[in-house]
Amino acid sequence: MPPFNALVHDESVNAIIGWTLTGVVALAVVQSVLTNALLWGGFASLIVVVTVLPPWSSGDWTVMVPWPLLLVAAVAALVRAFDLYLEIAGYVAVATLALVAVVELEAFTSVEMSRRFAVAFAALSTLAMQGLWTIAQYYSDLWFGTEFLRSQRELQLDIVFVTVVGISLSVVFGWYFDRVEHVGSSKRSSTFAGES
């Protein structure tokens, strides 16, 4: 299947699709700002920044995480930006941001993780990201009169749901990377990794 091989193993194809999907997230940022959803716009901006960090640091536009991971981020950002399935899209966006960061650490730096550890680390990173998101929501409610955090029970359920989504996404992508060995999901020689 040559077309599938190009989608999976060609760095240029992966980068073109990845940059396109990053552009979609950037459009979701603009849409969020235009509709006065500034907190969400800021979070989506963080997704864009984390995604473009490896190509910017390495000076190589093809140094991108696998595009299927960015597809999940783009879909979550778009769905959330257009006020559809707000809670689910938020959980997926938080988990995906954590997973993108873990994949970048493993693939483009000198950090080495086994797949099992990477899955566990991504799940823990999702919890940390949810904690920061909760703090941001709290201060948004306090300073701007938004109503993100309506009750303690809802906050606790958010933590449970984002944990389930984070573990699920981590397991699915760990399985995918083990079987497909998508470009951008394993070590490669790059200046971003500090190799010459």
Side-chain angles (χ1 to χ4, degrees):
M1 277 201 248
F4 179 75
N5 282 338
L7 283 175
V8 171
H9 298 293
D10 188 292
E11 286 183 357
S12 295
V13 171
N14 182 68
I16 290 167
I17 296 170
W19 280 106
T20 302
L21 294 169
T22 304
V24 169
V25 178
L27 288 175
V29 171
V30 172
Q31 196 278 339
S32 295
V33 170
L34 291 176
T35 58
N36 209 27
L38 300 180
L39 189 62
W40 175 250
F43 186 82
S45 296
L46 186 59
I47 294 173
V48 172
V49 168
V50 170
T51 300
V52 302
L53 190 58
W56 177 76
S57 295
S58 68
D60 182 356
W61 71 278
T62 63
V63 179
M64 294 286 284
V65 296
W67 65 261
L69 185 54
L70 298 176
L71 177 64
V72 174
V75 169
L78 277 178
V79 169
R80 184 70 173 80
F82 288 102
D83 291 333
L84 304 170
Y85 309 104
L86 297 177
E87 299 297 326
I88 295 170
Y91 303 145
V92 172
V94 168
T96 304
L97 176 58
L99 191 54
V100 166
V102 170
V103 169
E104 287 178 354
L105 277 174
E106 199 276 330
F108 305 129
T109 70
S110 58
V111 173
E112 294 185 24
M113 295 182 250
S114 69
R115 287 289 185 224
R116 287 183 184 164
F117 180 81
V119 167
F121 186 62
L124 289 174
S125 298
T126 299
L127 282 172
M129 197 68 61
Q130 179 63 28
L132 294 173
W133 180 240
T134 300
I135 292 168
Q137 289 175 319
Y138 171 78
Y139 281 107
S140 177
D141 290 352
L142 184 67
W143 293 337
F144 305 115
T146 55
E147 294 182 0
F148 289 114
L149 304 175
R150 292 181 288 274
S151 71
Q152 184 174 353
R153 181 180 185 279
E154 185 177 327
L155 174 61
Q156 291 169 335
L157 287 175
D158 281 351
I159 293 170
V160 169
F161 290 143
V162 81
T163 301
V164 170
V165 170
I167 291 171
S168 301
L169 275 178
S170 299
V171 168
V172 167
F173 274 101
W175 176 86
Y176 174 76
F177 293 148
D178 277 344
R179 275 141 191 83
V180 177
E181 293 192 22
H182 202 291
V183 64
S185 66
S186 58
K187 292 283 183 212
R188 61 172 265 172
S189 179
S190 72
T191 55
F192 185 75
E195 299 171 9
S196 52

